[in-house]
Amino acid sequence: MTLETFHLICIIWTIIGVATFILLQFVTAPYGRHLKKGWGPEISNKLGWILMELPSFAIILYFYVTSNQSNYATVLTLLWLFHYLNRTFIFPLRIRTKGKKMPLAIVTSAIFFNFINAGLNGYFLANFENYTNTNFGDWNFILGSIFFSIGFISNQISDTILINLRKPGETGYKIPKGFLFKLISCPNLFSEFLQWSGFAIMAWNYPATTFLIWTAANLFPRATKHHKWYQSNFSEYPKNRKAIIPWIW
Ligand code: NDP
């Protein structure tokens, strides 16, 4: 495949991501607090998370071990694997979602989405990367790694606060407090967006940008739905909180 063809595929996939963003204004992905019947067979929520995220980990690992990547590309690969090690194998074991299910349709569509995004990023790093003139002192590595690190840490803190709202065995919802929850309903989703913005700045290529757009297409509608859900389920919900971007959205 030529680089031009590869870029064309990234552009088409980005357009589909934008269409998904529009679709998600009208459809709420039915998992977590938005779970509802009528979406076909369901599987365990924890197993669902592992299966959904596994392609993102396995595909990037596959391309890494079967290619000869530069040091710069290797760092990108390791950061990706580090994130997905947590999301695939650690996060699902930490969440307190006893007995909760997830529609197989959601798991299947997420596997597809992760397969393409990891495939594009892995394929680029294995076949097209030309980071010989890029070094770790360049502005985009420094800025991107700061965004990525802050995003990862903030995502961990936010997810931990949310997970700890339930005592073991509890299944209900409470109003989260502290940290960025003072400003927004979904700091975990905001942080995830920050993290992949950092990755895209570091990588500075088509597939990482495409992945960032897909991430935003998923996270922004989900945060908006979470925010409205809080407002309609808790009369005492803080009025000054935004959904995902402090003071703005
Ligand atoms: P949520 O905030 O909906 O849930 C995170 C966990 O905390 C779940 O176990 C949830 O339980 C629990 N929880 C959330 N709010 C409360 C509350 N108020 N009271 C009690 N428990 C609560 O996050 P998502 O499930 O949407 O996402 C999880 C992670 O995956 C996030 O870090 C997110 O950034 C990431 N993600 C990434 C995407 C991407 O495209 N890169 C897309 C979607 C998510 P329950 O499941 O029962 O609701």
Short mmCIF file of all heavy atoms in Angstrom, two decimals, residues 70-126:
data_model
loop_
_atom_site.label_atom_id
_atom_site.label_comp_id
_atom_site.label_asym_id
_atom_site.label_seq_id
_atom_site.Cartn_x
_atom_site.Cartn_y
_atom_site.Cartn_z
N SER A 70 11.81 2.57 14.91
CA SER A 70 12.81 3.50 15.45
C SER A 70 12.56 3.70 16.95
O SER A 70 11.51 3.30 17.48
CB SER A 70 12.67 4.85 14.75
OG SER A 70 11.42 5.43 15.11
N ASN A 71 13.51 4.33 17.62
CA ASN A 71 13.35 4.59 19.06
C ASN A 71 12.13 5.44 19.33
O ASN A 71 11.39 5.22 20.29
CB ASN A 71 14.59 5.31 19.61
CG ASN A 71 15.78 4.38 19.68
OD1 ASN A 71 15.61 3.16 19.63
ND2 ASN A 71 16.97 4.95 19.78
N TYR A 72 11.90 6.44 18.46
CA TYR A 72 10.76 7.34 18.67
C TYR A 72 9.44 6.56 18.55
O TYR A 72 8.55 6.68 19.39
CB TYR A 72 10.81 8.48 17.64
CG TYR A 72 9.93 9.67 17.99
CD1 TYR A 72 10.42 10.72 18.77
CD2 TYR A 72 8.61 9.74 17.57
CE1 TYR A 72 9.62 11.80 19.11
CE2 TYR A 72 7.80 10.81 17.90
CZ TYR A 72 8.31 11.85 18.66
OH TYR A 72 7.51 12.92 19.00
N ALA A 73 9.35 5.73 17.48
CA ALA A 73 8.13 4.94 17.29
C ALA A 73 7.96 3.94 18.43
O ALA A 73 6.84 3.66 18.87
CB ALA A 73 8.18 4.23 15.95
N THR A 74 9.08 3.41 18.92
CA THR A 74 9.00 2.45 20.03
C THR A 74 8.41 3.10 21.27
O THR A 74 7.58 2.50 21.97
CB THR A 74 10.40 1.89 20.34
OG1 THR A 74 10.87 1.21 19.18
CG2 THR A 74 10.37 0.93 21.52
N VAL A 75 8.78 4.35 21.53
CA VAL A 75 8.22 5.05 22.69
C VAL A 75 6.71 5.23 22.51
O VAL A 75 5.93 5.00 23.44
CB VAL A 75 8.92 6.41 22.91
CG1 VAL A 75 8.16 7.28 23.91
CG2 VAL A 75 10.34 6.17 23.41
N LEU A 76 6.29 5.59 21.30
CA LEU A 76 4.84 5.72 21.03
C LEU A 76 4.13 4.39 21.28
O LEU A 76 3.07 4.34 21.91
CB LEU A 76 4.60 6.19 19.60
CG LEU A 76 5.09 7.60 19.24
CD1 LEU A 76 4.88 7.88 17.76
CD2 LEU A 76 4.39 8.66 20.08
N THR A 77 4.74 3.33 20.76
CA THR A 77 4.16 1.99 20.95
C THR A 77 4.04 1.65 22.44
O THR A 77 2.99 1.16 22.89
CB THR A 77 5.03 0.93 20.24
OG1 THR A 77 4.94 1.15 18.84
CG2 THR A 77 4.58 -0.47 20.56
N LEU A 78 5.10 1.92 23.19
CA LEU A 78 5.09 1.56 24.61
C LEU A 78 4.05 2.37 25.39
O LEU A 78 3.39 1.85 26.29
CB LEU A 78 6.49 1.73 25.22
CG LEU A 78 7.54 0.76 24.67
CD1 LEU A 78 8.90 1.03 25.31
CD2 LEU A 78 7.13 -0.69 24.91
N LEU A 79 3.89 3.65 25.02
CA LEU A 79 2.87 4.47 25.70
C LEU A 79 1.47 3.92 25.42
O LEU A 79 0.62 3.84 26.31
CB LEU A 79 2.96 5.93 25.24
CG LEU A 79 4.18 6.70 25.74
CD1 LEU A 79 4.23 8.09 25.10
CD2 LEU A 79 4.17 6.82 27.25
N TRP A 80 1.25 3.55 24.16
CA TRP A 80 -0.05 2.95 23.79
C TRP A 80 -0.29 1.67 24.59
O TRP A 80 -1.37 1.47 25.17
CB TRP A 80 -0.04 2.66 22.28
CG TRP A 80 -1.30 2.10 21.72
CD1 TRP A 80 -1.85 0.86 21.99
CD2 TRP A 80 -2.22 2.73 20.81
NE1 TRP A 80 -3.01 0.69 21.30
CE2 TRP A 80 -3.27 1.82 20.56
CE3 TRP A 80 -2.23 3.97 20.15
CZ2 TRP A 80 -4.34 2.10 19.71
CZ3 TRP A 80 -3.30 4.26 19.30
CH2 TRP A 80 -4.33 3.33 19.08
N LEU A 81 0.74 0.79 24.62
CA LEU A 81 0.58 -0.49 25.33
C LEU A 81 0.36 -0.26 26.83
O LEU A 81 -0.43 -0.97 27.46
CB LEU A 81 1.81 -1.38 25.10
CG LEU A 81 1.97 -1.94 23.69
CD1 LEU A 81 3.28 -2.71 23.57
CD2 LEU A 81 0.80 -2.86 23.34
N PHE A 82 1.05 0.72 27.37
CA PHE A 82 0.91 1.06 28.80
C PHE A 82 -0.54 1.43 29.11
O PHE A 82 -1.14 0.93 30.07
CB PHE A 82 1.87 2.22 29.10
CG PHE A 82 1.81 2.73 30.51
CD1 PHE A 82 2.16 1.91 31.57
CD2 PHE A 82 1.42 4.04 30.77
CE1 PHE A 82 2.11 2.39 32.87
CE2 PHE A 82 1.37 4.52 32.06
CZ PHE A 82 1.72 3.69 33.12
N HIS A 83 -1.12 2.29 28.26
CA HIS A 83 -2.52 2.69 28.46
C HIS A 83 -3.44 1.48 28.39
O HIS A 83 -4.31 1.28 29.23
CB HIS A 83 -2.95 3.74 27.42
CG HIS A 83 -4.42 4.00 27.45
ND1 HIS A 83 -5.01 4.92 28.29
CD2 HIS A 83 -5.46 3.42 26.78
CE1 HIS A 83 -6.32 4.90 28.13
NE2 HIS A 83 -6.62 4.01 27.22
N TYR A 84 -3.25 0.67 27.34
CA TYR A 84 -4.19 -0.44 27.12
C TYR A 84 -3.94 -1.62 28.05
O TYR A 84 -4.83 -2.46 28.23
CB TYR A 84 -4.22 -0.84 25.64
CG TYR A 84 -5.15 0.10 24.90
CD1 TYR A 84 -4.66 1.13 24.10
CD2 TYR A 84 -6.53 0.01 25.07
CE1 TYR A 84 -5.52 2.01 23.46
CE2 TYR A 84 -7.40 0.90 24.45
CZ TYR A 84 -6.89 1.89 23.65
OH TYR A 84 -7.75 2.79 23.06
N LEU A 85 -2.76 -1.69 28.64
CA LEU A 85 -2.53 -2.70 29.68
C LEU A 85 -3.50 -2.42 30.83
O LEU A 85 -4.15 -3.33 31.37
CB LEU A 85 -1.09 -2.60 30.18
CG LEU A 85 -0.61 -3.69 31.13
CD1 LEU A 85 -0.55 -5.03 30.41
CD2 LEU A 85 0.77 -3.34 31.68
N ASN A 86 -3.60 -1.14 31.18
CA ASN A 86 -4.54 -0.76 32.24
C ASN A 86 -5.99 -0.96 31.80
O ASN A 86 -6.77 -1.62 32.48
CB ASN A 86 -4.31 0.70 32.64
CG ASN A 86 -5.42 1.20 33.56
OD1 ASN A 86 -5.60 0.68 34.66
ND2 ASN A 86 -6.18 2.18 33.11
N ARG A 87 -6.33 -0.41 30.63
CA ARG A 87 -7.74 -0.41 30.21
C ARG A 87 -8.26 -1.83 29.96
O ARG A 87 -9.41 -2.13 30.24
CB ARG A 87 -7.89 0.44 28.94
CG ARG A 87 -9.30 0.60 28.46
CD ARG A 87 -10.21 1.35 29.44
NE ARG A 87 -9.92 2.76 29.51
CZ ARG A 87 -9.79 3.44 30.67
NH1 ARG A 87 -9.95 2.84 31.82
NH2 ARG A 87 -9.51 4.73 30.67
N THR A 88 -7.38 -2.71 29.44
CA THR A 88 -7.84 -4.07 29.07
C THR A 88 -7.84 -5.02 30.25
O THR A 88 -8.77 -5.82 30.42
CB THR A 88 -6.91 -4.66 27.97
OG1 THR A 88 -6.74 -3.69 26.95
CG2 THR A 88 -7.51 -5.92 27.39
N PHE A 89 -6.77 -4.97 31.07
CA PHE A 89 -6.60 -6.03 32.07
C PHE A 89 -6.78 -5.56 33.51
O PHE A 89 -7.09 -6.37 34.38
CB PHE A 89 -5.21 -6.67 31.92
CG PHE A 89 -4.96 -7.21 30.54
CD1 PHE A 89 -4.08 -6.58 29.68
CD2 PHE A 89 -5.61 -8.36 30.10
CE1 PHE A 89 -3.84 -7.07 28.40
CE2 PHE A 89 -5.39 -8.86 28.82
CZ PHE A 89 -4.50 -8.22 27.97
N ILE A 90 -6.54 -4.27 33.79
CA ILE A 90 -6.59 -3.81 35.19
C ILE A 90 -7.93 -3.14 35.50
O ILE A 90 -8.61 -3.50 36.46
CB ILE A 90 -5.39 -2.87 35.49
CG1 ILE A 90 -4.09 -3.64 35.26
CG2 ILE A 90 -5.47 -2.33 36.92
CD1 ILE A 90 -2.83 -2.82 35.36
N PHE A 91 -8.33 -2.17 34.67
CA PHE A 91 -9.59 -1.45 34.89
C PHE A 91 -10.79 -2.40 35.07
O PHE A 91 -11.56 -2.26 36.03
CB PHE A 91 -9.81 -0.46 33.75
CG PHE A 91 -11.13 0.25 33.77
CD1 PHE A 91 -11.37 1.31 34.67
CD2 PHE A 91 -12.16 -0.12 32.92
CE1 PHE A 91 -12.60 1.95 34.69
CE2 PHE A 91 -13.38 0.52 32.94
CZ PHE A 91 -13.61 1.55 33.83
N PRO A 92 -10.96 -3.41 34.19
CA PRO A 92 -12.14 -4.28 34.34
C PRO A 92 -12.15 -5.05 35.66
O PRO A 92 -13.22 -5.40 36.17
CB PRO A 92 -12.04 -5.26 33.16
CG PRO A 92 -11.17 -4.56 32.17
CD PRO A 92 -10.21 -3.75 32.97
N LEU A 93 -10.96 -5.31 36.21
CA LEU A 93 -10.92 -6.04 37.48
C LEU A 93 -11.17 -5.12 38.67
O LEU A 93 -11.53 -5.56 39.77
CB LEU A 93 -9.56 -6.75 37.66
CG LEU A 93 -9.24 -7.77 36.56
CD1 LEU A 93 -7.89 -8.42 36.82
CD2 LEU A 93 -10.34 -8.84 36.49
N ARG A 94 -10.99 -3.82 38.48
CA ARG A 94 -11.17 -2.86 39.58
C ARG A 94 -12.62 -2.41 39.73
O ARG A 94 -13.05 -2.05 40.82
CB ARG A 94 -10.29 -1.62 39.35
CG ARG A 94 -8.79 -1.89 39.43
CD ARG A 94 -8.02 -0.59 39.20
NE ARG A 94 -8.30 0.39 40.24
CZ ARG A 94 -8.32 1.71 40.05
NH1 ARG A 94 -8.08 2.21 38.87
NH2 ARG A 94 -8.58 2.53 41.03
N ILE A 95 -13.35 -2.33 38.62
CA ILE A 95 -14.69 -1.73 38.69
C ILE A 95 -15.63 -2.56 39.56
O ILE A 95 -15.55 -3.78 39.59
CB ILE A 95 -15.32 -1.50 37.28
CG1 ILE A 95 -15.25 -2.76 36.42
CG2 ILE A 95 -14.65 -0.34 36.59
CD1 ILE A 95 -15.90 -2.60 35.05
N ARG A 96 -16.51 -1.85 40.28
CA ARG A 96 -17.45 -2.52 41.18
C ARG A 96 -18.81 -2.57 40.50
O ARG A 96 -19.69 -1.74 40.76
CB ARG A 96 -17.50 -1.77 42.52
CG ARG A 96 -16.17 -1.87 43.24
CD ARG A 96 -16.10 -1.08 44.51
NE ARG A 96 -14.80 -1.31 45.16
CZ ARG A 96 -14.34 -0.60 46.17
NH1 ARG A 96 -15.03 0.41 46.66
NH2 ARG A 96 -13.16 -0.89 46.70
N THR A 97 -18.95 -3.51 39.59
CA THR A 97 -20.17 -3.61 38.78
C THR A 97 -20.74 -5.02 38.90
O THR A 97 -21.02 -5.68 37.90
CB THR A 97 -19.87 -3.27 37.31
OG1 THR A 97 -18.79 -4.11 36.87
CG2 THR A 97 -19.49 -1.83 37.11
N LYS A 98 -20.89 -5.45 40.17
CA LYS A 98 -21.33 -6.83 40.45
C LYS A 98 -22.64 -7.14 39.71
O LYS A 98 -23.62 -6.42 39.85
CB LYS A 98 -21.54 -6.96 41.96
CG LYS A 98 -21.68 -8.36 42.46
CD LYS A 98 -21.50 -8.39 43.97
CE LYS A 98 -21.74 -9.78 44.52
NZ LYS A 98 -23.14 -10.07 44.74
N GLY A 99 -22.63 -8.22 38.92
CA GLY A 99 -23.85 -8.69 38.26
C GLY A 99 -24.27 -7.86 37.05
O GLY A 99 -25.27 -8.16 36.42
N LYS A 100 -23.50 -6.82 36.73
CA LYS A 100 -23.90 -5.93 35.64
C LYS A 100 -23.58 -6.56 34.27
O LYS A 100 -22.56 -7.24 34.12
CB LYS A 100 -23.18 -4.59 35.78
CG LYS A 100 -23.86 -3.49 35.02
CD LYS A 100 -23.71 -2.17 35.74
CE LYS A 100 -24.69 -1.15 35.23
NZ LYS A 100 -24.67 0.07 36.01
N LYS A 101 -24.42 -6.28 33.31
CA LYS A 101 -24.25 -6.84 31.96
C LYS A 101 -23.97 -5.72 30.96
O LYS A 101 -24.16 -4.53 31.26
CB LYS A 101 -25.53 -7.57 31.53
CG LYS A 101 -25.94 -8.68 32.46
CD LYS A 101 -25.21 -9.95 32.10
CE LYS A 101 -25.73 -11.12 32.93
NZ LYS A 101 -24.84 -12.26 32.88
N MET A 102 -23.60 -6.15 29.76
CA MET A 102 -23.36 -5.22 28.65
C MET A 102 -23.85 -5.91 27.36
O MET A 102 -23.59 -7.10 27.18
CB MET A 102 -21.85 -4.95 28.57
CG MET A 102 -21.44 -3.96 27.53
SD MET A 102 -19.65 -3.86 27.43
CE MET A 102 -19.23 -2.88 28.83
N PRO A 103 -24.56 -5.19 26.49
CA PRO A 103 -25.02 -5.84 25.26
C PRO A 103 -23.84 -6.29 24.38
O PRO A 103 -22.86 -5.55 24.21
CB PRO A 103 -25.82 -4.75 24.54
CG PRO A 103 -26.15 -3.75 25.59
CD PRO A 103 -25.04 -3.80 26.58
N LEU A 104 -23.98 -7.48 23.82
CA LEU A 104 -22.96 -8.01 22.93
C LEU A 104 -22.77 -7.08 21.72
O LEU A 104 -21.68 -6.97 21.17
CB LEU A 104 -23.40 -9.41 22.45
CG LEU A 104 -22.34 -10.35 21.92
CD1 LEU A 104 -21.15 -10.48 22.85
CD2 LEU A 104 -22.95 -11.71 21.63
N ALA A 105 -23.85 -6.39 21.34
CA ALA A 105 -23.78 -5.47 20.19
C ALA A 105 -22.79 -4.33 20.47
O ALA A 105 -22.05 -3.90 19.57
CB ALA A 105 -25.16 -4.89 19.91
N ILE A 106 -22.76 -3.85 21.72
CA ILE A 106 -21.80 -2.79 22.08
C ILE A 106 -20.37 -3.34 22.03
O ILE A 106 -19.46 -2.71 21.49
CB ILE A 106 -22.11 -2.26 23.51
CG1 ILE A 106 -23.38 -1.43 23.49
CG2 ILE A 106 -20.95 -1.46 24.09
CD1 ILE A 106 -23.25 -0.12 22.73
N VAL A 107 -20.21 -4.55 22.59
CA VAL A 107 -18.88 -5.17 22.60
C VAL A 107 -18.38 -5.36 21.17
O VAL A 107 -17.24 -5.01 20.84
CB VAL A 107 -18.93 -6.53 23.35
CG1 VAL A 107 -17.58 -7.23 23.32
CG2 VAL A 107 -19.40 -6.32 24.79
N THR A 108 -19.25 -5.86 20.31
CA THR A 108 -18.85 -6.14 18.92
C THR A 108 -18.50 -4.85 18.19
O THR A 108 -17.49 -4.79 17.48
CB THR A 108 -20.02 -6.83 18.17
OG1 THR A 108 -20.54 -7.84 19.02
CG2 THR A 108 -19.55 -7.46 16.89
N SER A 109 -19.31 -3.81 18.38
CA SER A 109 -19.01 -2.57 17.66
C SER A 109 -17.73 -1.93 18.18
O SER A 109 -16.94 -1.37 17.41
CB SER A 109 -20.18 -1.59 17.70
OG SER A 109 -20.50 -1.29 19.03
N ALA A 110 -17.47 -2.06 19.49
CA ALA A 110 -16.23 -1.50 20.05
C ALA A 110 -15.01 -2.29 19.57
O ALA A 110 -13.95 -1.72 19.31
CB ALA A 110 -16.28 -1.48 21.57
N ILE A 111 -15.18 -3.61 19.44
CA ILE A 111 -14.07 -4.42 18.91
C ILE A 111 -13.73 -3.94 17.49
O ILE A 111 -12.57 -3.74 17.14
CB ILE A 111 -14.44 -5.93 18.91
CG1 ILE A 111 -14.44 -6.46 20.35
CG2 ILE A 111 -13.47 -6.74 18.03
CD1 ILE A 111 -14.91 -7.90 20.50
N PHE A 112 -14.75 -3.70 16.69
CA PHE A 112 -14.55 -3.24 15.31
C PHE A 112 -13.82 -1.88 15.30
O PHE A 112 -12.81 -1.70 14.61
CB PHE A 112 -15.91 -3.15 14.61
CG PHE A 112 -15.82 -2.62 13.22
CD1 PHE A 112 -15.23 -3.37 12.20
CD2 PHE A 112 -16.32 -1.36 12.90
CE1 PHE A 112 -15.15 -2.87 10.90
CE2 PHE A 112 -16.24 -0.86 11.61
CZ PHE A 112 -15.64 -1.62 10.61
N PHE A 113 -14.33 -0.96 16.13
CA PHE A 113 -13.74 0.38 16.22
C PHE A 113 -12.27 0.30 16.68
O PHE A 113 -11.38 0.93 16.10
CB PHE A 113 -14.63 1.21 17.17
CG PHE A 113 -13.95 2.24 18.03
CD1 PHE A 113 -13.56 3.44 17.51
CD2 PHE A 113 -13.74 2.01 19.39
CE1 PHE A 113 -12.95 4.41 18.31
CE2 PHE A 113 -13.14 2.96 20.19
CZ PHE A 113 -12.74 4.17 19.65
N ASN A 114 -12.02 -0.52 17.69
CA ASN A 114 -10.65 -0.64 18.20
C ASN A 114 -9.74 -1.36 17.21
O ASN A 114 -8.55 -1.05 17.10
CB ASN A 114 -10.65 -1.38 19.54
CG ASN A 114 -11.13 -0.47 20.66
OD1 ASN A 114 -10.96 0.74 20.60
ND2 ASN A 114 -11.75 -1.04 21.69
N PHE A 115 -10.30 -2.33 16.50
CA PHE A 115 -9.54 -3.08 15.49
C PHE A 115 -9.01 -2.14 14.41
O PHE A 115 -7.84 -2.16 14.06
CB PHE A 115 -10.47 -4.15 14.89
CG PHE A 115 -9.74 -5.20 14.13
CD1 PHE A 115 -9.26 -6.34 14.77
CD2 PHE A 115 -9.52 -5.08 12.76
CE1 PHE A 115 -8.57 -7.32 14.06
CE2 PHE A 115 -8.84 -6.05 12.05
CZ PHE A 115 -8.37 -7.17 12.69
N ILE A 116 -9.90 -1.28 13.91
CA ILE A 116 -9.48 -0.37 12.83
C ILE A 116 -8.50 0.68 13.36
O ILE A 116 -7.45 0.93 12.75
CB ILE A 116 -10.69 0.37 12.22
CG1 ILE A 116 -11.76 -0.62 11.75
CG2 ILE A 116 -10.25 1.31 11.08
CD1 ILE A 116 -11.56 -1.22 10.40
N ASN A 117 -8.81 1.27 14.50
CA ASN A 117 -7.93 2.34 15.01
C ASN A 117 -6.55 1.81 15.38
O ASN A 117 -5.53 2.42 15.04
CB ASN A 117 -8.58 3.03 16.20
CG ASN A 117 -9.57 4.08 15.74
OD1 ASN A 117 -9.25 4.92 14.91
ND2 ASN A 117 -10.79 4.01 16.23
N ALA A 118 -6.50 0.68 16.07
CA ALA A 118 -5.19 0.10 16.41
C ALA A 118 -4.49 -0.37 15.14
O ALA A 118 -3.27 -0.23 15.00
CB ALA A 118 -5.36 -1.04 17.41
N GLY A 119 -5.28 -0.93 14.20
CA GLY A 119 -4.70 -1.40 12.95
C GLY A 119 -4.03 -0.27 12.18
O GLY A 119 -2.91 -0.41 11.70
N LEU A 120 -4.72 0.86 12.07
CA LEU A 120 -4.14 2.00 11.34
C LEU A 120 -2.87 2.51 12.03
O LEU A 120 -1.86 2.76 11.38
CB LEU A 120 -5.17 3.14 11.24
CG LEU A 120 -6.37 2.90 10.30
CD1 LEU A 120 -7.37 4.05 10.41
CD2 LEU A 120 -5.90 2.73 8.85
N ASN A 121 -2.95 2.67 13.36
CA ASN A 121 -1.78 3.18 14.09
C ASN A 121 -0.61 2.18 14.04
O ASN A 121 0.53 2.58 13.83
CB ASN A 121 -2.16 3.52 15.53
CG ASN A 121 -2.80 4.89 15.62
OD1 ASN A 121 -2.13 5.91 15.66
ND2 ASN A 121 -4.13 4.93 15.61
N GLY A 122 -0.92 0.90 14.24
CA GLY A 122 0.13 -0.13 14.22
C GLY A 122 0.74 -0.25 12.84
O GLY A 122 1.97 -0.34 12.69
N TYR A 123 -0.11 -0.23 11.81
CA TYR A 123 0.39 -0.38 10.43
C TYR A 123 1.32 0.79 10.08
O TYR A 123 2.37 0.60 9.47
CB TYR A 123 -0.79 -0.43 9.45
CG TYR A 123 -0.40 -0.83 8.06
CD1 TYR A 123 -0.33 -2.17 7.70
CD2 TYR A 123 -0.09 0.13 7.09
CE1 TYR A 123 0.06 -2.55 6.41
CE2 TYR A 123 0.29 -0.24 5.81
CZ TYR A 123 0.35 -1.58 5.48
OH TYR A 123 0.74 -1.95 4.20
N PHE A 124 0.91 1.99 10.49
CA PHE A 124 1.75 3.16 10.21
C PHE A 124 3.12 3.02 10.90
O PHE A 124 4.16 3.23 10.28
CB PHE A 124 1.06 4.45 10.69
CG PHE A 124 1.87 5.69 10.40
CD1 PHE A 124 1.68 6.39 9.21
CD2 PHE A 124 2.83 6.15 11.28
CE1 PHE A 124 2.44 7.52 8.92
CE2 PHE A 124 3.60 7.27 11.01
CZ PHE A 124 3.40 7.97 9.82
N LEU A 125 3.09 2.67 12.17
CA LEU A 125 4.36 2.58 12.92
C LEU A 125 5.26 1.45 12.38
O LEU A 125 6.48 1.53 12.46
CB LEU A 125 4.08 2.38 14.42
CG LEU A 125 3.43 3.58 15.12
CD1 LEU A 125 3.10 3.26 16.57
CD2 LEU A 125 4.31 4.83 15.05
N ALA A 126 4.62 0.43 11.82
CA ALA A 126 5.41 -0.69 11.29
C ALA A 126 5.92 -0.43 9.88
O ALA A 126 6.97 -0.94 9.50
CB ALA A 126 4.56 -1.97 11.31
#
